[in-house]
Amino acid sequence: MPMSMVNSRIFDVVVVGGGPAGATAAADLARRGRSVVLLDKAGRIKPCGGAIPPRLIRDFEIPDGLLVAKIRSARMIAPSDKRVIMPIDGGFVGMVDREVFDEWLRSRAAAVGADRRTGSFVRITREDGVATVHYKTADGTEECVRTRTVIGADGALSAVAKQEVPSATRMKCVFAYHEIVRAPAASQADFNPESCDVWYQGTLSPDFYAWIFPHGDTVSIGTGSANKGFSLRRSVETLRAATGLDGTETIRREGAPIPLKPLKRWDNGRDVVLAGDAAGIVAPASGEGIYYAMAGGRFAADAVEACLETGDARKLATARKRFMKAHGRVFWILGVMQWFWYSSDKRRERFVSMCRDPDVQKLTWDAYMNKELVRAKPVAHVKIFFKDLAHLLGVVRP
């Protein structure tokens, strides 16, 4: 498209992708008075368990009305079908419907000044040092917007990342699939609307886990695996049949790749920085992504603000540096945990058995709810180390 056909206005930033990462970045920058375009596809819902911890609710001012359920415990199911309940002492994990939650975040960004546009990203071109983001609308028309910076928050197979950050093409992913079904009657004996079920069984996932997460009137039933030959749909079908949820109404089915680890680089050294799944920031072992996406979106917004303020493109690299300083150690620990404990049903059995321990439960929930490694209980950490070692060596029976 000739440049004469492009609107001459130059925005401060175009955010490609309106999920939690992109919507958060757009809102943060618009609040600072920056001119922001938020570009998002219409009707895209990511498969997601929908769990958000208290820290997210606090940090990003999420109203209670968006929570469709409050989870008070998690039930871990071992390959032998032994079950361990991990209660949350005095707290809860919020559950959201991503269709409603993501739209609320986008609307909030628009309310504080972001210019919302619906379309699919095509490419970025440059002329006279200014980037032009090309995108297609629903009717196939190509439109353009000029901008000083771009935030790529368009998912694990990010088109922005593939064009601007070459290392993104080597991103490794788990493939996730879930079915949203109508919640069963409260009288169903094996379903608790205030508890998440996590299934650690090789038949349901050879290298990850399967789940049943209550969402108020609905339930998310899903699984994930990096094994491309493994049938995720068949796994969910098996899980639904085993739990009596095969007779409930299916509302929708969704699948998508979920990144396994953060990319080594998130920016192009010029005018683009990545956020959310596009940057690979989904927690290993748990697959949790909403909090980390929003935190990454905020760090990306801060980096863009610094770049715009100083004219120094090197500031874009601070998004990754700050994120990894805050969460890199947790990601490394969870990655080792997934690699070891999820590698066989024998190890899964011992992992679930270990979750019976009150110290393990306490520190696990403290770390999850607040997104920080708990350092204030050294004696408990020592106890867990030796208990963990005992399980590794097979001294403790599952």
Side-chain angles (χ1 to χ4, degrees), residues 149-160:
T149 57
V150 177
I151 295 177
D154 51 333
L157 301 179
S158 166
V160 174

Side-chain angles (χ1 to χ4, degrees), residues 46-161:
K46 179 185 173 182
C48 175
I52 61 172
R55 181 170 175 182
L56 184 154
I57 295 171
R58 294 192 305 267
D59 287 359
F60 299 98
E61 300 177 312
I62 304 303
D64 193 70
L66 280 178
L67 305 183
V68 294
K70 294 182 178 180
I71 299 303
R72 312 285 179 178
S73 66
R75 183 168 59 168
M76 326 291 272
I77 298 97
S80 66
D81 210 41
K82 290 180 180 177
R83 299 170 183 221
V84 173
I85 296 176
M86 297 179 63
I88 302 173
D89 185 19
F92 68 88
V93 173
M95 304 299 290
V96 295
D97 180 336
R98 286 292 300 272
E99 183 177 18
V100 176
F101 182 72
D102 289 16
E103 176 56 26
W104 184 87
L105 292 174
R106 290 189 288 268
S107 296
R108 179 165 70 174
V112 294
D115 178 356
R116 279 188 67 175
R117 302 191 187 184
T118 301
S120 300
F121 171 83
V122 176
R123 65 188 178 279
I124 298 172
T125 58
R126 293 176 178 85
E127 185 172 318
D128 298 329
V130 177
T132 298
V133 174
H134 302 251
Y135 64 96
K136 283 188 177 180
T137 60
D139 63 5
T141 303
E142 183 171 308
E143 296 189 3
C144 305
V145 57
R146 304 178 75 196
T147 181
R148 296 170 65 192
T149 57
V150 177
I151 295 177
D154 51 333
L157 301 179
S158 166
V160 174

Side-chain angles (χ1 to χ4, degrees), residues 195-213:
S195 178
C196 287
D197 285 354
V198 188
W199 297 72
Y200 294 100
Q201 298 183 354
T203 54
L204 296 175
S205 173
D207 52 356
F208 201 55
Y209 64 81
W211 68 83
I212 298 178
F213 289 174

Side-chain angles (χ1 to χ4, degrees), residues 79-391:
S80 66
D81 210 41
K82 290 180 180 177
R83 299 170 183 221
V84 173
I85 296 176
M86 297 179 63
I88 302 173
D89 185 19
F92 68 88
V93 173
M95 304 299 290
V96 295
D97 180 336
R98 286 292 300 272
E99 183 177 18
V100 176
F101 182 72
D102 289 16
E103 176 56 26
W104 184 87
L105 292 174
R106 290 189 288 268
S107 296
R108 179 165 70 174
V112 294
D115 178 356
R116 279 188 67 175
R117 302 191 187 184
T118 301
S120 300
F121 171 83
V122 176
R123 65 188 178 279
I124 298 172
T125 58
R126 293 176 178 85
E127 185 172 318
D128 298 329
V130 177
T132 298
V133 174
H134 302 251
Y135 64 96
K136 283 188 177 180
T137 60
D139 63 5
T141 303
E142 183 171 308
E143 296 189 3
C144 305
V145 57
R146 304 178 75 196
T147 181
R148 296 170 65 192
T149 57
V150 177
I151 295 177
D154 51 333
L157 301 179
S158 166
V160 174
K162 286 180 180 178
Q163 177 181 326
E164 298 294 329
V165 185
S167 61
T169 59
R170 298 190 291 273
M171 178 183 285
K172 295 183 178 180
C173 295
V174 163
F175 294 87
Y177 169 79
H178 79 161
E179 297 178 359
I180 297 293
V181 308
R182 193 71 62 194
S187 59
Q188 181 164 325
D190 202 37
F191 177 76
N192 182 348
E194 293 189 346
S195 178
C196 287
D197 285 354
V198 188
W199 297 72
Y200 294 100
Q201 298 183 354
T203 54
L204 296 175
S205 173
D207 52 356
F208 201 55
Y209 64 81
W211 68 83
I212 298 178
F213 289 174
H215 284 182
D217 293 337
T218 63
V219 181
S220 165
I221 307 171
T223 189
S225 176
N227 185 340
K228 294 183 179 179
F230 183 76
S231 174
L232 301 177
R233 283 179 176 260
R234 191 174 301 121
S235 172
V236 170
E237 180 182 345
T238 299
L239 181 56
R240 289 184 67 173
T243 56
L245 295 172
D246 50 341
T248 54
E249 176 192 357
T250 302
I251 299 172
R252 64 179 189 262
R253 297 178 173 89
E254 298 153 356
I258 308 296
L260 282 174
K261 62 190 302 185
L263 293 176
K264 295 291 187 182
R265 180 162 186 164
W266 295 2
D267 69 287
N268 68 349
R270 183 176 185 176
D271 52 12
V272 174
V273 64
L274 307 177
D277 282 11
I281 47 178
V282 174
S286 69
E288 182 193 1
I290 302 178
Y291 169 77
Y292 293 112
M294 295 178 76
R298 179 151 287 174
F299 285 135
D302 291 343
V304 164
E305 176 66 23
C307 175
L308 292 171
E309 195 171 81
T310 64
D312 185 354
R314 292 173 297 181
K315 296 293 184 181
L316 296 174
T318 61
R320 187 183 191 279
K321 289 177 182 177
R322 292 181 63 201
F323 182 92
M324 296 307 291
K325 182 178 180 180
H327 305 293
R329 189 179 175 205
V330 170
F331 272 48
W332 183 83
I333 292 170
L334 290 174
V336 171
M337 189 181 99
Q338 179 176 336
W339 170 79
F340 183 84
W341 290 113
Y342 295 6
S343 61
S344 71
D345 270 357
K346 182 177 180 180
R347 290 180 178 177
R348 293 186 188 98
E349 193 74 34
R350 294 194 177 279
F351 173 70
V352 173
S353 177
M354 189 171 62
C355 291
R356 289 193 183 97
D357 187 273
D359 289 324
V360 171
Q361 294 184 9
K362 172 71 173 166
L363 293 183
T364 296
W365 284 125
D366 283 352
Y368 174 81
M369 307 281 266
N370 299 300
K371 293 293 166 261
E372 294 176 351
L373 291 175
V374 182
R375 298 182 177 90
K377 301 179 178 66
V379 174
H381 280 285
V382 170
K383 286 169 62 180
I384 287 173
F385 171 78
F386 284 109
K387 290 172 183 175
D388 198 18
L389 186 62
H391 280 275

